[in-house]
Amino acid sequence: MANDRAGEVITFFSFKGGTGRTMALANVAWILASRGKRVLVVDWDLDSPGLHKFFRPFLDGELFDSTPGVVDMISEYARAATHVTERQPDWHLAHARVLRHAVSLNWSHFPEGGALDIISAGRQGHTYSSVLSNFNWDDFYYRLGGGLLFGAMRDDMRRHYDYTLIDSRTGLSDMAAICTVRFPDTVINCFTFSNQSIEGAARVARSIDDLADDRDIRILPVPMRVEDAEKAKLENGRAYARLLFAGYPSGLDREARQRYWGEVEIPYRTYYAYEEVLATFGDEPRMPLTLLAAYERLTSVISHGEIKELAPMPEDTRKRFAVAFERRSAVTPPDVFLSYAPEDRMWADWVGTVLQRAGARVKAQGADFPAGADVVAEVGTSVASAGCTMVLLSPSYVRSSQARAVWEVLAGAESDRSRRPLIPLGVAEVRLGHPFDAWNAIDLVRLDEAAATEAVLRALDLSPLAIRDVSREEPATRFPGARPPVWSVPARNAAFTGRSVLLQKLRDNLSIGSVTVEPQAVHGLGGVGKTQLVLEYAHRFMADYDLVWWIPAQQEELIPSVLAEIAPQ
């Protein structure tokens, strides 16, 4: 990371709440980072912090919650200023370093040099509100020299970031004055077209000019949440705002100022009223009437015309992450009965794990019942207690007479009781005929793990956000089909069939879910199929392993040389 960037500090301020100020800041920050800028956003709305909610799909929640923020930085400085008697002239600089408080967003698509970091308002423990409510800002600023801290923080922000965007507290307060006068090179003065909002924002603009002393702070008035339902009232609001903001932005001739006012309005869109969704994902690019287009125009003004639009993004990526912002359904996940062919046990384990991590209870049953078993009775009992049924469709499932019998039971259960839907999942290339073609299967074959996970959960109307994180102690079932990084196994027998009981037993005994895994010996007379059984196991469950290596052991003296072949791998 290059230092001494001579970056710009920009405060987003609103005299009244409810302008959409925080959302505008979040989108502008994302657009800047998408074009290779190193961006820091700071939540200085200490009374009601919420900037992080616009970035939640990309934040490590545990890391973010445990990282100190603005209030912690200020408190640490205050303690040091109170208790340390012998100080070096630059003692305060250690408390002004922003990098140790910044949490980076997990997004790999920013170009080289582009990054987006966030500093929270502070760790939201039980002491946060009491510290904030009891803090004496006058004492901090005048007796403890708080201006030293803020000045050093500003310099540190500019040194490490191209743009620092500060989400300021609303209204007229000491904290708002710090954000609008002490820190910024530019103030985005957000307001709606109500009289209170226009008049308050204009009054703040003039007070910034009065308090800025010798600093030339660029003030950009930005109308927000603009609705065009009442044309006459809208025009009156525009005229009143331009009258009260006469002379702003400064340094523009009449024509340029008119063009400015026509470009920076941020429209109101009902879609964004319910959840904290970034328009960079919620809107299609290059559509002139969207919120995204408005934020792009604002970004162009902020960046002096350098950054005019969001960097291109694959459409499937945009749509997938737009869904990730949606509020999680409050509906309790249903109990799921999962039917599969023994050959697809790996898929069954993975689908079951995905559903369980989303809160569903899963009963998985292979379609390989012992001779003489009453398939209808056994499956019927499981279906009766489940909210829905899922079937993993593959050539093995379609060919199996037992699987067909299970399918008939499941299809009959759905026709009788529609609250227990039947959801087929395609896990291999297969041509579906009667009776399997009566339902549209969800094809997982051509999807990567993220897309397949989303498809499985969407089938139950669950959001990907419903998935809880896997603990370090909890074994993770890997996505099927991936060959291990270290692999040397003879070819699979394409005509292999049967042996499902033995393979299931091997799977259970060698499962990654076992506390301890003992070596398994497959033994028997020559020619009964031991080698084929083990080969089938290796190929069927290879995705669960990092290393699979076939060692011919008929001649003991050759074993060391085969083991030696593994070492370079």
Side-chain angles (χ1 to χ4, degrees):
M1 179 181 61
N3 288 335
D4 300 322
R5 291 174 178 259
E8 186 172 352
V9 180
I10 300 164
T11 289
F12 281 67
F13 169 83
S14 61
F15 177 74
K16 301 285 287 185
T19 62
R21 175 197 74 239
T22 304
M23 182 177 179
L25 182 154
N27 280 278
V28 169
W30 194 279
I31 294 168
L32 290 169
S34 79
R35 288 296 180 176
K37 299 300 181 182
R38 185 169 175 82
V39 182
L40 173 68
V41 297
V42 184
D43 194 345
W44 213 289
D45 190 358
L46 305 184
D47 288 327
S48 54
L51 176 59
H52 63 284
K53 293 183 181 296
F54 286 96
F55 304 118
R56 68 184 185 280
F58 317 102
L59 277 174
D60 180 331
E62 183 176 346
L63 175 63
F64 181 78
D65 292 341
S66 62
T67 302
V70 172
V71 169
D72 305 291
M73 294 176 72
I74 292 171
S75 298
E76 289 171 7
Y77 172 90
R79 284 193 295 270
T82 303
H83 296 107
V84 179
T85 54
E86 297 184 5
R87 309 183 188 124
Q88 297 296 323
D90 62 351
W91 70 274
H92 61 288
L93 297 181
H95 301 282
R97 293 173 184 153
V98 295
L99 289 181
R100 65 193 180 102
H101 300 279
V103 176
S104 296
L105 268 60
N106 299 319
W107 179 253
S108 60
H109 302 287
F110 289 138
E112 184 177 356
L116 183 50
D117 296 349
I118 180 171
I119 295 179
S120 71
R123 284 177 292 203
Q124 299 296 305
H126 64 280
T127 61
Y128 176 86
S129 58
S130 61
V131 169
L132 188 61
S133 60
N134 294 323
F135 201 83
N136 188 325
W137 292 105
D138 285 339
D139 184 69
F140 173 78
Y141 205 87
Y142 296 109
R143 186 175 71 84
L144 301 181
L148 283 175
L149 174 68
F150 297 142
M153 285 176 64
R154 179 179 184 272
D155 292 341
D156 205 52
M157 292 169 181
R158 300 183 77 220
R159 184 179 303 115
H160 293 296
Y161 293 92
D162 298 307
Y163 290 94
T164 297
L165 310 184
I166 298 176
D167 190 25
S168 172
R169 184 178 178 180
T170 59
L172 301 174
S173 66
D174 294 332
M175 288 309 302
I178 292 168
C179 293
T180 55
V181 178
R182 186 74 189 185
F183 280 114
D185 302 291
T186 299
V187 173
I188 309 302
N189 196 348
C190 306
F191 62 93
T192 63
F193 280 137
S194 72
N195 288 345
Q196 289 185 65
S197 189
I198 295 172
E199 293 164 4
R203 189 161 64 250
V204 168
R206 312 225 177 261
S207 70
I208 292 172
D209 280 338
D210 293 340
L211 296 171
D213 299 326
D214 58 342
R215 290 186 60 230
D216 184 17
I217 299 176
R218 183 171 64 145
I219 299 174
L220 300 178
V222 177
M224 310 283 285
R225 294 176 64 90
V226 177
E227 298 186 65
D228 57 4
E230 297 287 343
K231 295 289 187 181
K233 291 184 180 296
L234 174 59
E235 291 304 321
N236 287 338
R238 284 170 172 161
Y240 191 46
R242 295 181 192 187
L243 175 65
L244 266 62
F245 279 101
Y248 294 100
S250 61
L252 301 180
D253 58 30
R254 181 176 180 182
E255 182 179 348
R257 190 168 288 129
Q258 285 181 333
R259 185 166 56 250
Y260 166 86
W261 282 99
E263 290 176 348
V264 299
E265 281 190 1
I266 307 298
Y268 174 74
R269 296 290 181 261
T270 307
Y271 171 79
Y272 292 98
Y274 301 97
E275 296 154 329
E276 291 82 5
V277 182
L278 285 174
T280 52
F281 293 92
D283 285 340
E284 289 188 41
R286 300 186 177 179
M287 301 293 285
L289 301 181
T290 62
L291 263 183
L292 172 59
Y295 292 138
E296 288 174 328
R297 292 191 295 270
L298 177 58
T299 304
S300 179
V301 173
I302 290 173
S303 65
H304 306 277
E306 180 185 0
I307 309 296
K308 291 183 170 63
E309 64 180 5
L310 177 73
M313 182 191 313
E315 184 65 7
D316 60 336
T317 301
R318 182 187 72 82
K319 288 182 177 179
R320 187 166 73 250
F321 280 93
V323 171
F325 284 95
E326 294 180 3
R327 186 181 292 123
R328 184 166 55 193
S329 172
V331 178
T332 303
D335 293 345
V336 178
F337 173 67
L338 181 62
S339 177
Y340 64 95
E343 291 83 348
D344 303 316
R345 169 72 183 270
M346 184 78 189
W347 272 105
D349 290 346
W350 180 81
V351 171
T353 298
V354 168
L355 295 175
Q356 287 166 354
R357 288 175 58 200
R361 291 186 298 180
V362 180
K363 180 177 181 180
Q365 187 176 67
D368 55 337
F369 301 92
D374 187 344
V375 175
V376 174
E378 291 203 28
V379 176
T381 301
S382 300
V383 172
S385 60
C388 76
T389 56
M390 281 187 165
V391 178
L392 304 187
L393 291 181
S394 67
S396 300
Y397 198 94
V398 171
R399 287 195 304 262
S400 168
S401 59
Q402 289 191 328
R404 283 177 171 262
V406 173
W407 180 271
E408 296 289 351
V409 175
L410 300 179
E414 187 189 57
S415 62
D416 292 340
R417 309 180 78 172
S418 59
R419 67 184 181 87
R420 294 191 178 114
L422 174 58
I423 303 172
L425 303 175
V427 296
E429 295 285 358
V430 58
R431 182 181 295 276
L432 297 177
H434 180 77
F436 303 102
D437 58 356
W439 278 260
N440 291 325
I442 299 170
D443 190 0
L444 305 182
V445 178
R446 298 173 183 82
L447 304 181
D448 60 18
E449 183 171 8
T453 299
E454 180 180 338
V456 169
L457 296 178
R458 287 292 164 199
L460 298 180
D461 294 325
L462 298 175
S463 166
L465 294 176
I467 288 191
R468 61 177 176 80
D469 294 330
V470 178
S471 68
R472 293 178 181 176
E473 297 78 17
E474 184 179 359
T477 302
R478 297 184 183 176
F479 189 60
R483 176 169 288 187
V486 182
W487 169 265
S488 178
V489 176
R492 189 178 197 172
N493 184 350
F496 184 93
T497 187
R499 305 297 177 90
S500 60
V501 174
L502 287 175
L503 284 165
Q504 294 278 43
K505 187 173 182 180
L506 274 177
R507 173 62 174 172
D508 292 337
N509 290 347
L510 291 172
S511 171
I512 59 171
S514 302
V515 177
T516 59
V517 177
E518 298 291 339
Q520 301 294 304
V522 179
H523 64 94
L525 296 175
V528 298
K530 301 184 301 296
T531 299
Q532 300 304 317
L533 178 73
V534 176
L535 276 174
E536 179 64 20
Y537 178 87
H539 283 273
R540 188 176 293 188
F541 300 109
M542 61 182 178
D544 256 353
Y545 298 91
D546 298 313
L547 182 154
V548 183
W549 202 271
W550 188 270
I551 301 176
Q554 293 90 341
Q555 299 179 45
E556 188 173 347
E557 64 273 12
L558 297 181
I559 294 176
S561 64
V562 180
L563 285 171
E565 294 176 11
I566 305 178
Q569 301 295 325

